[in-house]
Amino acid sequence: MESSPDHPLKQARIIGAFTFGSRVLGMVRDMMCAAIFGRSWVWDAFVLAFTASELLRRLLGEGDLAAAFIPALEKERQANADHPGEKSLAAGIFTRLLLGLALVSILAWIVAWKGPWQGEKQLLAASLGVRFLPYMICLCLMGFFMSLFHVQGRFGLPASSSLVINLFWLGGIYLCRDHVYSLVAVVVAGGVSQAAFQYAFLRKTWRVQLSWLMTPEEKEVWKGFLPVVFALAGLQLCLFLDNVLAEAWIGTAGAVSGLYYGGRRFQLPLGLVGLSTAQATFPLLARRAAAGDHAAVGKELDAAFAVITCLSTTMWLHLHGGDTGLELVLRHLARALDRGGLL
């Protein structure tokens, strides 16, 4: 297997290490939240507001836009060694992203304050949702910064952001206890500090620029963004609608909280295996595709699928069978192979 410094498996180790630390802190965070808030209507409202901000962040700032932006930026970088296209394209995307965030924030504020909310829980969720808007904006900007970092081959700093934000969460829970508004303020402060911290490192290679004129390259990015939204947004919408349906159909205090706590069990393997490998592989695939090396694209995809399949299967076996079950399966596989064969 390729051993170059930018090989996705090596980068996945960096992302995976930070992701593992973040997920462990997230588990501790959720345990503390469960101990303080339990399955209560207050935590139901908090989860509804938080998942709404997470939905907008993943659609606008991290997953879908990055999937369309990274290949175009990589193509621009390879087309010109001085990278003028990178600055122009990034500035245009940044400008349109800011305008989109401003529009979404205004609409969210109107819906939160003028919506037909009934009962304390819905009113609290709407109020918390408005207060989460700065957090959503900062995380969208961090997703944009992450794309620039990844194209430059820098993975450690953006991967560490979720770990630091979880530290802010833990500090907020410890200091604020059951004061939910204070907890939101601490979480927002964590998002703002991380966005500023990442930009402080990014400004050595890219500084904030606004570009009101949309270039043909940027138009191609937005054309690619729409099908990516339809392809990838389904999961994010389903995760949010799960909470909405739990609130609408069950309605009792703790329904959304219970669903949230149950779903958190899957975050460790999902982030440690799938997301870290995908984030490390995608910029390299864009680089190979921009160079026209389709054979290398297929090779890197095969390697990524092999890593994800091997690790996820092993984790599933260990989760359900423990050390004994994993050892038993590996022994059967070893017997099925010829002497000196490869698994």
Side-chain angles (χ1 to χ4, degrees):
M1 183 176 290
E2 185 179 343
S3 59
S4 62
D6 66 343
H7 191 270
L9 186 56
K10 293 187 176 182
Q11 305 295 354
R13 293 194 192 110
I14 298 174
I15 300 174
F18 282 111
T19 301
F20 179 77
S22 173
R23 295 298 191 250
V24 170
L25 289 178
M27 181 180 65
V28 175
R29 176 199 74 194
D30 293 332
M31 291 173 63
M32 293 179 65
C33 291
I36 295 174
F37 294 100
R39 293 175 56 190
S40 63
W41 68 271
V42 173
W43 194 246
D44 284 354
F46 183 94
V47 170
L48 287 170
F50 179 71
T51 52
S53 65
E54 284 283 289
L55 169 66
L56 295 173
R57 186 261 299 185
R58 289 171 180 169
L59 290 179
L60 293 177
E62 185 172 294
D64 296 351
L65 182 57
F69 177 44
I70 288 179
L73 183 56
E74 188 60 52
K75 186 177 179 180
E76 289 282 355
R77 284 170 59 89
Q78 294 195 10
N80 194 321
D82 295 329
H83 313 317
E86 175 188 348
K87 296 179 181 178
S88 174
L89 180 60
I93 297 293
F94 183 75
T95 303
R96 251 57 72 183
L97 178 61
L98 285 181
L99 292 175
L101 290 174
L103 178 60
V104 169
S105 299
I106 293 172
L107 292 176
W109 187 89
I110 293 174
V111 170
W113 294 116
K114 303 298 182 179
W117 313 119
Q118 298 178 355
E120 288 183 305
K121 184 194 297 187
Q122 294 185 11
L123 290 172
L124 178 60
S127 178
L128 294 178
V130 171
R131 287 164 173 79
F132 266 123
L133 286 177
Y135 174 80
M136 181 270 294
I137 293 173
C138 289
L139 264 64
C140 285
L141 295 178
M142 288 165 57
F144 173 81
F145 297 156
M146 179 193 70
S147 300
L148 296 176
F149 277 122
H150 284 185
V151 171
Q152 297 170 8
R154 302 161 67 184
F155 293 86
L157 184 62
S160 66
S161 60
S162 59
L163 186 148
V164 177
I165 290 177
N166 273 329
L167 289 175
F168 271 86
W169 269 67
L170 290 172
I173 295 170
Y174 178 78
L175 295 174
C176 304
R177 305 297 292 177
D178 58 349
H179 298 285
V180 69
Y181 283 106
S182 301
L183 177 58
V184 172
V186 173
V187 174
V188 170
V192 173
S193 66
Q194 276 302 288
F197 181 73
Q198 287 197 14
Y199 178 68
F201 280 86
L202 185 63
R203 68 191 303 267
K204 298 177 182 179
T205 56
W206 183 84
R207 296 195 177 192
V208 168
Q209 301 176 23
L210 298 180
S211 176
W212 304 107
L213 180 63
M214 185 176 295
T215 64
E217 292 80 11
E218 186 187 346
K219 291 180 181 178
E220 291 299 319
V221 171
W222 293 113
K223 288 180 181 178
F225 174 65
L226 293 178
V228 171
V229 167
F230 287 108
L232 300 180
L235 174 61
Q236 306 304 330
L237 289 172
C238 287
L239 292 175
F240 177 66
L241 289 176
D242 283 345
N243 293 323
V244 174
L245 293 176
E247 169 63 22
W249 288 354
I250 300 177
T252 58
V256 179
S257 302
L259 186 62
Y260 169 80
Y261 292 135
R264 298 301 298 176
R265 295 182 55 195
F266 301 97
Q267 295 303 312
L268 177 60
L270 177 63
L272 188 60
V273 178
L275 295 180
S276 59
T277 305
Q279 288 181 8
T281 303
F282 190 67
L284 184 58
L285 294 178
R287 192 171 305 136
R288 300 283 195 256
D293 192 352
H294 299 293
V297 171
K299 181 180 178 182
E300 300 296 347
L301 277 175
D302 288 342
F305 280 127
V307 170
I308 292 175
T309 302
C310 179
L311 293 179
S312 59
T313 302
T314 304
M315 294 180 72
W316 184 86
L317 290 171
H318 194 267
L319 179 64
H320 290 275
D323 294 339
T324 303
L326 182 59
E327 181 182 359
L328 181 63
V329 171
L330 293 178
R331 285 184 181 275
H332 281 295
L333 288 175
R335 294 194 190 102
L337 294 172
D338 295 332
R339 184 176 296 275
L342 296 176
L343 179 59

